[in-house]
Amino acid sequence: RPAPPLLLKPAHTQALVIALVRMHLSPSQLQPAAAHSDELGAMILLGSPDETLAFGAKLGAIVRVGDVIALNGPLGAGKTLFTKGILSGLGHIGDVPSPSYPLVIPYDPPAVRISLTHVDLYRIDDPAALEELALDDARAEGALVIEWPDRMGARAWTDMLELTLIVHDDTTRALTAQVPPAWERRWPPR
């Protein structure tokens, strides 16, 4: 069973998660930040690959056309596994390969409720190269999940839900979120 969200101020969330992981501490040893909804981010511990898939599926169930979900984290953090969960929540059944080499993998109805484009920008060195990927068009027609969104530079959308997966151990991941106003009523997914 996933741990309940621990609410922290977004500016401190990622640094705190990294410190927790390095010190082998549990979030239960912390006190939540003051409850001001416009200042809060969330940290959620995902204790297994199944929990990662399940949480992704909850998110996929509420994704809308025009949504952009940015996935940060080191290699092997579970970004593609999390995306498989999102796609499952959209109705996709089957494999979800990493888009590391094709860069873009589209999923369209009827296999999913709405179109979703899975993007991996790891191999992009110059944000100008993003024009060729037609991400604005994909967003207009569906939703986007973007791994390695930092490669977008100034081209990144300000209204994207920015998630970071931090490796805790072989199976546990800490998920942090920077929640823009467009997502405030939907985050965290239930």
Side-chain angles (χ1 to χ4, degrees), residues 39 62 112 119 137:
E39 296 179 356
I62 62 170
V112 287
V119 182
D137 293 339

Side-chain angles (χ1 to χ4, degrees), residues 82-163:
F82 191 79
T83 301
K84 181 177 182 176
I86 292 170
L87 283 160
S88 173
L90 287 169
H92 178 74
I93 298 170
D95 289 338
V96 175
S98 172
S100 293
Y101 291 99
L103 301 182
V104 174
I105 300 176
Y107 296 86
D108 294 307
V112 287
R113 177 175 52 84
I114 63 168
S115 293
L116 183 129
T117 302
H118 185 191
V119 182
D120 187 326
L121 300 178
Y122 182 74
R123 296 184 313 121
I124 298 290
D125 293 325
D126 181 3
L130 295 172
E131 284 298 318
E132 296 175 29
L133 301 181
L135 298 181
D136 289 321
D137 293 339
R139 183 182 188 187
E141 298 169 6
L144 294 168
V145 173
I146 301 175
E147 297 185 29
W148 303 96
D150 56 301
R151 305 289 209 267
M152 295 181 78
R155 294 174 184 253
W157 293 283
T158 58
D159 62 343
M160 62 187 184
L161 176 63
E162 194 152 353
L163 304 177

Side-chain angles (χ1 to χ4, degrees), residues 2-187:
L6 176 65
L7 301 176
L8 304 165
K9 293 184 178 181
H12 303 125
T13 303
Q14 188 168 2
L16 180 59
V17 169
I18 291 168
L20 284 172
V21 169
R22 288 182 179 156
M23 297 183 316
H24 302 287
L25 294 175
S26 165
S28 63
Q29 294 171 286
L30 302 174
Q31 296 297 317
H36 300 290
S37 62
D38 60 336
E39 296 179 356
L40 296 178
M43 180 179 74
I44 299 165
L45 286 182
L46 304 169
S48 69
D50 287 341
E51 286 183 20
T52 301
L53 286 168
F55 193 81
K58 287 179 185 178
L59 184 57
I62 62 170
V63 167
R64 302 175 185 159
V65 171
D67 282 344
V68 178
I69 300 168
L71 294 179
N72 297 288
L75 290 170
K79 296 179 295 292
T80 299
L81 180 67
F82 191 79
T83 301
K84 181 177 182 176
I86 292 170
L87 283 160
S88 173
L90 287 169
H92 178 74
I93 298 170
D95 289 338
V96 175
S98 172
S100 293
Y101 291 99
L103 301 182
V104 174
I105 300 176
Y107 296 86
D108 294 307
V112 287
R113 177 175 52 84
I114 63 168
S115 293
L116 183 129
T117 302
H118 185 191
V119 182
D120 187 326
L121 300 178
Y122 182 74
R123 296 184 313 121
I124 298 290
D125 293 325
D126 181 3
L130 295 172
E131 284 298 318
E132 296 175 29
L133 301 181
L135 298 181
D136 289 321
D137 293 339
R139 183 182 188 187
E141 298 169 6
L144 294 168
V145 173
I146 301 175
E147 297 185 29
W148 303 96
D150 56 301
R151 305 289 209 267
M152 295 181 78
R155 294 174 184 253
W157 293 283
T158 58
D159 62 343
M160 62 187 184
L161 176 63
E162 194 152 353
L163 304 177
T164 300
L165 286 161
I166 304 292
V167 178
H168 181 41
D169 59 34
D170 287 344
T171 59
T172 305
R173 303 296 186 257
L175 176 73
T176 62
Q178 292 181 351
V179 183
W183 281 89
E184 284 178 351
R185 293 179 187 228
R186 295 183 281 160
W187 186 263

